[in-house]
Amino acid sequence: MGLDVVELKKRIIDLLREDEEFRLAVTGLLGLDAILLELKKLREDFNKFIELEEKRWEENRLRWEEQERRWEENNRRWEENNKRWEELNKRWEENNKRWEENWRRWEENWRRWEEQEKRWEENNKRWEEAYRRFEAIEAELARLSKAVAEIGVVLGSIGRRWGRDLERAVLEIYRHALEERGIEPGKVEKFVYVDSEGKYYKKGARIEVDIYVHDERLYLIEVKSHAEYEDVEWFHDVSKIVEKVLGREADKLILVAVHIDEEALERARELGMDVIYGAAIP
């Protein structure tokens, strides 16, 4: 009844395959149960390790995505900053152009101021020369005035003619200023009107004023060696009367005086008169 070795081996292998209880019993006898448990534990630990690593990889992936998003955001901000810098550079270039233009204008204005300064210096020299001439004329007029006062009684009959000659002399002194205004001193005429009926002023009043007409423009002129406040008022009133007599308004009232009181000068300008004078007296 004995089995040979080959059949015994085959039978044992079949039992190990088919009979789990027999297989465990054999495994226990061989000490493999501890090994299997250890392998099972190692497999569980390995699975946990794999899960942990997968979790870490997922966290890292999320972090990398966040980092990527941040890099994209930074790139976008850098692009915006670059655009802003380009805009600022463009504005700086425009400002530089404006500063260059302003600087060029300042240089041009400075050059003009220097030219004006030279002109003012030349004008000052001319005025100084004119003042010296005026002083000489004033001295001469003072001498003449004194002489006229001394012989006033003797020259009473020709007083009117003398006054007219004095007016001519003053007009000649200021010839340049009058010519600049389009007036030829030699063609200034005396306008005389006697209001016999009192139509425009007092009855029998004699109205006199110098008149100049050119290119249909009417100029009324008053000549004084020394103009006072009352002279200005009188000239203004007489001009209104003459305008009524002539039936037209004067284009300009011109007061010519060697000397004029400052209050008279101010009043004349208030009334719109053009004043030609040598010196204003306080």
Side-chain angles (χ1 to χ4, degrees):
M1 293 214 32
L3 296 174
D4 58 13
V5 176
V6 175
E7 291 181 355
L8 179 60
K9 288 181 179 180
K10 182 179 178 182
R11 181 61 178 166
I12 292 172
I13 291 172
D14 292 336
L15 288 173
L16 289 173
R17 289 176 178 174
E18 298 173 356
D19 191 340
E20 182 180 1
E21 184 178 354
F22 177 74
R23 185 170 61 251
L24 292 175
V26 172
T27 300
L29 291 175
L30 294 175
L32 294 178
D33 55 344
I35 295 173
L36 294 173
L37 289 174
E38 187 65 23
L39 289 174
K40 182 178 180 182
K41 185 175 182 300
L42 287 174
R43 180 178 293 175
E44 292 175 352
D45 292 340
F46 180 75
N47 290 334
K48 290 180 180 179
F49 173 78
I50 293 299
E51 290 177 358
L52 181 61
E53 287 300 312
E54 288 179 351
K55 182 178 179 181
R56 289 177 179 175
W57 275 104
E58 181 64 19
E59 292 176 352
N60 288 334
R61 185 185 65 78
L62 295 175
R63 290 176 183 174
W64 277 107
E65 288 179 354
E66 178 65 18
Q67 291 297 328
E68 185 69 20
R69 186 187 63 78
R70 291 181 180 179
W71 275 109
E72 289 178 355
E73 179 66 19
N74 287 334
N75 288 335
R76 185 184 62 79
R77 292 180 179 177
W78 274 109
E79 289 177 357
E80 291 178 356
N81 288 333
N82 288 334
K83 290 180 180 179
R84 291 177 182 174
W85 277 107
E86 289 176 358
E87 181 66 21
L88 289 175
N89 288 333
K90 182 179 179 181
R91 292 181 181 177
W92 274 108
E93 289 177 358
E94 292 176 354
N95 287 334
N96 287 335
K97 290 180 180 178
R98 291 177 182 174
W99 276 107
E100 290 176 358
E101 178 64 18
N102 287 334
W103 185 254
R104 185 187 64 77
R105 291 180 181 177
W106 274 106
E107 290 179 344
E108 179 66 18
N109 288 334
W110 186 258
R111 183 183 63 78
R112 292 179 180 176
W113 275 108
E114 290 179 346
E115 293 177 356
Q116 291 296 330
E117 186 69 20
K118 291 180 181 178
R119 292 179 182 176
W120 275 108
E121 290 177 358
E122 293 176 358
N123 287 334
N124 287 336
K125 291 179 181 179
R126 293 177 182 176
W127 276 108
E128 289 175 359
E129 180 65 22
Y131 285 145
R132 285 194 293 269
R133 293 180 181 178
F134 290 150
E135 288 175 355
I137 293 170
E138 289 172 5
E140 182 65 18
L141 288 174
R143 185 184 67 79
L144 292 174
S145 297
K146 183 177 180 181
V148 171
E150 292 175 352
I151 62 174
V153 175
V154 177
L155 299 179
S157 61
I158 60 173
R160 187 178 303 277
R161 176 63 182 275
W162 172 252
R164 185 58 180 164
D165 290 342
L166 183 60
E167 288 182 2
R168 291 293 183 186
V170 174
L171 290 175
E172 190 63 30
I173 292 171
Y174 296 102
R175 169 180 286 276
H176 180 69
L178 290 167
E179 289 178 345
E180 286 182 343
R181 291 163 173 78
I183 298 174
E184 296 182 30
K187 294 184 179 181
V188 175
E189 299 178 355
K190 176 69 69 175
F191 175 82
V192 179
Y193 174 77
V194 178
D195 194 353
S196 58
E197 298 179 359
K199 182 178 180 180
Y200 301 104
Y201 193 50
K202 298 177 182 179
K203 187 175 182 179
R206 180 185 176 91
I207 307 298
E208 294 186 12
V209 67
D210 288 324
I211 188 171
Y212 180 81
V213 179
H214 181 68
D215 291 338
E216 298 183 356
R217 294 178 63 84
L218 174 65
Y219 301 89
L220 300 182
I221 304 171
E222 178 71 7
V223 181
K224 291 287 183 180
S225 61
H226 184 176
E228 298 179 345
Y229 190 93
E230 292 77 11
D231 297 323
V232 174
E233 293 290 346
W234 168 247
F235 180 38
H236 182 262
D237 294 341
V238 168
S239 299
K240 295 299 181 183
I241 295 173
V242 173
E243 288 176 342
K244 291 179 181 179
V245 173
L246 297 177
R248 60 170 294 183
E249 292 185 0
D251 293 285
K252 184 177 291 187
L253 302 183
I254 301 176
L255 175 61
V256 183
V258 178
H259 296 97
I260 185 171
D261 293 342
E262 285 186 351
E263 62 175 358
L265 177 61
E266 182 178 354
R267 179 57 177 162
R269 288 172 175 170
E270 288 177 355
L271 295 173
M273 296 181 186
D274 186 0
V275 185
I276 300 173
Y277 64 97
I281 300 175

